[in-house]
Amino acid sequence: MSLLSARGLAKSYGEVAVFAGVDLDLQPGEIVALLGESGSGKSTLLNCLAGLDEADAGQIVLDGADLRALDDEGRSALRRRALGFVFQAFHLLPHLSVADNVALPLRLLGEADDGRVAAMLSAVDLAGLAGRMPRQLSGGQLQRVAIARALVHRPRLVLADEPTGNLDPRHAGEVLTLLRQCTRDVGAACLLVTHSEVAAQAADRRLRLDEAGLHEA
C-alpha cells in the first residue's frame, strides 16, 4: 500500500496553470527525487501534498487519511504526526535556540525527549551548537538544523525542498545518508526537490515536473 497517493492534482493561480493531472505514489522506504526547471511548480506541489496549500482538484491520501477531506485542525494533526518538511527558506523560529527548534515537533506531540534531540543534532554534526540562536549560524548550519527538526519525530513522510542546496559536499552526503537511514528505519518515504545531480542519483527514482505533467525522468 502506498504511503502517499495523489491522483489528478491540479493547481492554478488565477489564469496561470502551475500543474495539472499529477499522479504520484510513494512507497514506504523509498526516496524519490523531484526534478524540474525553476518555476515549474515543484515547491507548490510539495506544499499541496503537505496540505499547506490547497490543490484545485484531485485527491491526496497520506498514511491512510484523505488529506483534502480534513478540516484545518485535522490537517495540522496529521502533519504533526506523519510529516517532516524541510523548507527551502528554513523557517526556524528566531527566538528559539537550535535545540529548542529541533525539539519543537516532539513537544507539539507531547513527546519531549532531550536525548533524541541531542542524537539528531549529533547526526547532522551540530552537537556543539545546541545553545546557539539561528542568527548566529551560517546558511549551511541553518539547513542542517531544519533537516534535524524535520526528522526528529520520525515522520512517515519527509518532503524536502532542496535539502542539500546550502551544504558543502561532505555535509550534503551526510544528509542524504541520514534521509536514507530515516526511510529505512521507520518505513518512511521521502520526496526531495533538488537540482543536485548527486542528490538525484542517491534517490531510488527520479521524477520530472514540467508542462507535460509529472513523469519519470
Side-chain angles (χ1 to χ4, degrees):
M1 180 178 177
S2 299
L3 198 152
L4 174 81
S5 179
R7 290 291 177 271
L9 289 189
K11 179 66 178 178
S12 298
Y13 291 115
E15 299 297 317
V16 179
V18 182
F19 53 78
V22 167
D23 295 334
L24 173 65
D25 288 290
L26 297 177
Q27 306 301 326
E30 75 169 343
I31 296 177
V32 177
L34 179 59
L35 313 175
E37 300 296 327
S38 295
S40 61
K42 302 183 300 299
S43 295
T44 301
L45 177 58
L46 255 60
N47 286 333
C48 289
L49 294 174
L52 297 170
D53 199 353
E54 180 70 28
D56 298 325
Q59 182 184 50
I60 302 167
V61 178
L62 170 58
D63 203 21
D66 186 342
L67 187 65
R68 298 194 67 212
L70 298 175
D71 59 17
D72 288 343
E73 184 177 344
R75 291 185 189 187
S76 294
L78 181 62
R79 279 195 296 269
R80 285 195 298 269
R81 173 180 62 81
L83 183 66
F85 204 123
V86 182
F87 295 94
Q88 195 169 5
F90 313 133
H91 292 318
L92 301 179
L93 297 180
H95 59 285
L96 294 182
S97 69
V98 165
D100 285 340
N101 265 286
V102 174
L104 191 58
L106 293 172
R107 291 178 177 171
L108 290 172
L109 288 169
E111 301 174 2
D113 187 333
D114 291 343
R116 197 190 298 185
V117 171
M120 186 56 65
L121 287 174
S122 179
V124 295
D125 198 23
L126 292 173
L129 302 181
R132 295 271 185 95
M133 304 302 287
R135 66 178 179 277
Q136 298 174 300
L137 303 181
S138 68
Q141 290 168 336
L142 290 169
Q143 182 76 289
R144 284 180 279 147
V145 175
I147 290 164
R149 180 185 60 185
L151 298 181
V152 71
H153 61 301
R154 298 170 185 157
R156 296 282 285 145
L157 174 66
V158 179
L159 299 175
D161 199 350
E162 294 285 1
T164 62
N166 292 284
L167 303 181
D168 59 76
R170 178 174 75 86
H171 285 117
E174 290 174 353
V175 163
L176 293 170
T177 298
L178 188 62
L179 289 172
R180 174 64 66 188
Q181 180 180 336
C182 174
T183 57
R184 182 184 64 242
D185 289 353
V186 302
C190 175
L191 180 64
L192 64 94
V193 168
T194 186
H195 287 97
S196 164
E197 187 61 28
V198 172
Q201 290 293 340
D204 300 302
R205 291 190 289 136
R206 302 197 297 177
L207 302 175
R208 183 171 296 279
L209 184 64
D210 55 28
E211 318 78 56
L214 186 67
H215 51 88
E216 297 286 338

